[in-house]
Amino acid sequence: MAKPVIAIVGRPNVGKSTIFNRIVGERVSIVEDVAGVTRDRIYSSADWLTHEFNIIDTGGIDIGDEPFLDQIRQQAEIAMDEADVIIFMTNGREGVTLADEQVAKILYRTNKPVVLAVNKVDNPDMKEMIYDFYSLGFGDPFPISGSHGLGLGDLLDEAAKHFPEVEDVDYDEGVIKFSLIGRPNVGKSSLVNAFLGDERVIVSNIAGTTRDAVDSHYVFDDQEYVIIDTAGMRKKGKVYESTEKYSVLRALRAIERSDVVLVVLNGEEGIQEQDKKIAGYAHQAGKGVIIVYNKWDAVDKDEKTMNEKTKEIREQFQFLDYAPIAFTSATTGKRVHNLLPVVNRVSENHAMRIQSSILNEVISDAVARNPAPTDKGRRLRIYYATQVAIKPPTFVVFVNEPELMHFTYERFLENRIRDTFEFEGTPIKIITRARD
Ligand code: GDP
Ligand code: GDP
């Protein structure tokens, strides 16, 4: 189920990122140990008491060289587009400023609930600072202190009151949910149109609607599919859509609801740093991944080019060594029909269950061939392995001492598992536990 989304809006320096970090806590939404992936703190899941939600710090979305006012206008628009509830943040120490009034004016246009927060109210004596803020027209202001962590409970309780009742469409088990992610202009919407434009594809009318997103539901060869978040891709023309952080935000939201993610690259421009970053999120989220090298028609090529590009992609995306690569041209439609069978296969692998008896045969075979490492005279002993989850396939390996499991050995076991079973396109997780 998709979680409700809170966005924080406000002029610079009122304390948005401080509050964001407080609410998110030490949770790391994106782990940094993947090559090419840096931590991004503008979007994260969070929880407060029984509420689970996602939160966006719109202040972290840097909108190029736009003048100050355009920047906050666009940040407010992102909040209005992406969030279920908006926290409008101000600074109690400075009182209501012209910039606050301008933000307010933009937010009047939204039909999303807005909760007004007055930050930097660092002690209870300062509470009268909030009265000024009634003039903004968003009802009771909530005094908070990001530095001291005060008032956040009341603020989030108020925000949670406005969480929508129906949060997501639940699709049947057998439906494959996939999304296309990538930098702006790589051809995501063109690919979606190419899928849906195929005359053998039956597009269903019952498109699931989640907030502003419209999923496309369709059937091909008796298999049902949902393309996640095509509305966001089709609705175009806003300035902020070309910003890096915004494309990350969209990608993260689409990834969250997908089983399989198509990471789309632009063959015309080649691979860029940002592509790796975006791909890293899909990997990190444990989704099935397919690398799609689009605009293949625009690439100068001979019979060797595909091999060369494959090699280059493998070098650049080492953490996705399990992902199949497809070369497509959305505009000519060439090779696009090859994609769906790959989506089917990856989706199947992502949900595969391996019998414990067979799994343990593979593991003991692997150990016999390449004995587990020793450390200071102690040898890792593997007793038993079992699959505990699918999507992605997750294995627990019971051992004598988990500290003795070196990541290179874990990698070796993963490779043995991959050699034996068909896990193309899906990450697999191995967890080492001490046997009681
Ligand atoms: P943003 O630009 O809105 O994201 O603001 P920041 O979170 O970067 O905060 C701007 C400045 O205000 C920083 O120096 C913070 O340490 C400070 N600040 C944030 N919250 C509080 C608070 O509750 N009380 C006080 N006194 N300072 C705060
Ligand atoms: P998105 O921002 O990732 O959704 O990209 P679009 O689908 O809007 O495509 C951006 C531009 O690239 C448009 O002008 C498309 O016509 C063009 N484009 C998309 N796919 C291809 C392709 O396979 N080949 C070529 N030559 N152009 C493409």
Side-chain angles (χ1 to χ4, degrees), residues 273-324:
E273 273 313 302
Q274 178 70 355
D275 295 322
K276 292 191 232 172
K277 223 174 177 182
I278 290 178
Y281 299 127
H283 168 76
Q284 207 55 52
K287 304 298 180 172
V289 180
I290 300 166
I291 297 172
V292 179
Y293 200 82
N294 190 40
K295 308 204 185 181
W296 188 233
D297 57 294
V299 176
D300 260 342
K301 50 187 170 295
D302 56 33
E303 65 285 355
K304 283 187 278 180
T305 313
M306 201 178 278
N307 277 338
E308 285 163 6
K309 290 291 173 199
T310 302
K311 200 163 156 254
E312 186 190 340
I313 293 167
R314 289 295 174 220
E315 272 163 17
Q316 298 285 330
F317 296 87
Q318 287 179 18
F319 56 98
L320 289 179
D321 55 359
Y322 53 83

Side-chain angles (χ1 to χ4, degrees), residues 8-21 57 59-60 89 91 93 118-122 126 144-150:
I8 309 177
V9 186
R11 63 189 175 83
N13 278 317
V14 293
K16 295 182 297 299
S17 76
T18 306
I19 296 293
F20 175 87
N21 287 325
D57 171 14
M89 194 158 328
N91 176 350
R93 288 171 182 254
V118 181
N119 190 33
K120 311 202 186 183
V121 182
D122 295 340
M126 298 162 77
I144 56 172
S145 166
S147 319
H148 297 79
L150 301 173

